[in-house]
Amino acid sequence: MTFARPDHSSDLDTLPRMPAWVTSVRSETLEDVAFSSGAALNHLHLVLSRVDLPHALLRDRLALRAAEACVAFSDRPERAAELRDAVHLLRPGDLPGPAGEAYLAWRRGGERPMSIKVLGRALPTFEPGQIATWLDAGQGAPVARAAMVLEAVLTDATRADVAALILADAALAHALGWDHLVPLLAAGLKRADLRKRGEDLCLACHRALISSAVEAVRQASDLARRAAHLKAVAPKLRAKGAGNAVEMFLTRDAVAPSALPLPDRAARRLCDRLVALGAVRELTGRDGFRLYGV
């Protein structure tokens, strides 16, 4: 995303915090909930305007959260750890399975600037023309537009929860002037919400975006601090290819040592070194087939 840079953008302590009243006030009417979700989205927009945020990493982390929600909607048991394994430990020729496909769809939807081509790559079972038709169903204000797209997809393809939520987030992002899809709606909605229509669905989307925007702001603040620390320790790394490896950690939720641009042993040593420096974390708790992330 490209936004105007404020003068203090290099000072992480100035990242704006979500006002407490956004979540503390219990809103019941559509008008009140819409006001709160608008405030939450505006605040998130300010946070996303910061050039010192690891934007790709944030989107990837939110994609994992969205995929986890979608998998739960399908009554599947996989959660974040299994989704990471399904995607990041995938070998050439292997299939990721239904849960892994959901995660891959969310990652592909947000990793590049939005376009019908990018959304088609994320949702290969749907024709680009169909995707464009669904997106055109959204009209009006951003959240209302997203709700209308969500309803249009679920009306035509009742089991296409992942596609519906990805396209709804795409409609929201486009209406807000964001270059990239930011996964928000899925993690805030309940499975029963996906059966709602009209104003009831719009109300559910407003509520979902309040909680998801709050979480996205929290994640952004946390990742900004962690990314700054990783960049600070990067000069201490002597391994050839360490710079490219650091860039991978700054854009991906999880990285397997085998994916790094180093020989296997050097990659494992680099990961251990980064853990010792407090710059990345080992995410699995296993002795083998480990994954690392900021």
Side-chain angles (χ1 to χ4, degrees):
M1 302 174 192
T2 303
F3 298 90
R5 176 175 178 172
D7 292 340
H8 54 262
S9 62
S10 62
D11 183 356
L12 296 179
D13 292 335
T14 64
L15 280 174
R17 297 182 180 181
M18 185 74 73
W21 60 263
V22 171
T23 55
S24 63
V25 176
R26 182 174 179 81
S27 302
E28 297 296 339
T29 68
L30 177 58
E31 181 181 15
D32 290 342
V33 176
F35 180 80
S36 294
S37 73
L41 287 171
N42 181 67
H43 187 86
L44 176 59
H45 181 85
L46 292 175
V47 170
L48 293 178
S49 72
R50 300 296 295 256
V51 296
D52 48 2
L53 285 183
H55 291 277
L57 175 57
L58 175 63
R59 291 193 302 271
D60 207 32
R61 186 66 52 86
L62 293 175
L64 175 63
R65 191 165 179 259
E68 190 175 22
C70 289
V71 169
F73 292 155
S74 302
D75 284 329
R76 296 190 62 87
E78 294 93 343
R79 293 299 178 262
E82 291 80 15
L83 290 173
R84 282 174 171 145
D85 284 354
V87 169
H88 296 292
L89 299 180
L90 199 64
R91 294 177 297 183
D94 286 351
L95 297 176
E101 289 285 3
Y103 185 21
L104 283 172
W106 279 106
R107 296 187 77 219
R108 290 167 179 163
E111 66 186 1
R112 299 178 183 178
M114 277 189 304
S115 67
I116 296 298
K117 182 178 180 180
V118 168
L119 293 171
R121 181 173 177 268
L123 305 169
T125 59
F126 297 102
E127 294 293 328
Q130 180 63 77
I131 291 173
T133 298
W134 280 329
L135 290 173
D136 286 342
Q139 303 292 329
V143 181
R145 187 180 302 187
M148 292 171 72
V149 171
L150 181 60
E151 181 172 344
V153 179
L154 291 176
T155 298
D156 293 343
T158 55
R159 295 187 177 183
D161 295 355
V162 173
L165 289 161
I166 286 176
L167 294 180
D169 272 332
L172 178 71
H174 180 72
L176 292 171
W178 297 346
D179 294 334
H180 289 75
L181 181 156
V182 179
L184 292 173
L185 277 166
L189 288 169
K190 299 179 176 62
R191 179 165 53 180
D193 291 331
L194 300 181
R195 296 193 292 270
K196 295 177 180 178
R197 297 293 182 265
E199 187 173 293
D200 289 340
L201 179 59
C202 190
L203 180 63
C205 287
H206 278 296
R207 285 183 171 141
L209 288 167
I210 295 171
S211 62
S212 290
V214 169
E215 174 60 18
V217 169
R218 187 196 68 78
Q219 289 264 16
S221 180
D222 179 58
L223 290 176
R225 288 192 298 270
R226 292 178 180 275
H229 181 55
L230 174 56
K231 291 176 182 178
V233 304
K236 300 178 181 179
L237 306 173
R238 299 179 180 178
K240 185 177 180 180
N244 291 332
V246 167
E247 286 301 315
M248 292 179 66
F249 283 112
L250 289 172
T251 57
R252 302 185 186 185
D253 164 71
V255 178
S258 59
L260 295 175
L262 292 88
D264 287 346
R265 184 174 297 179
R268 290 193 297 270
R269 284 201 303 265
L270 176 64
C271 290
D272 290 342
R273 174 68 169 152
L274 288 171
V275 170
L277 291 169
V280 303
R281 299 169 292 160
E282 201 288 309
L283 301 172
T284 69
R286 298 187 295 243
D287 292 332
F289 298 102
R290 290 182 163 186
L291 297 173
Y292 299 83
V294 171

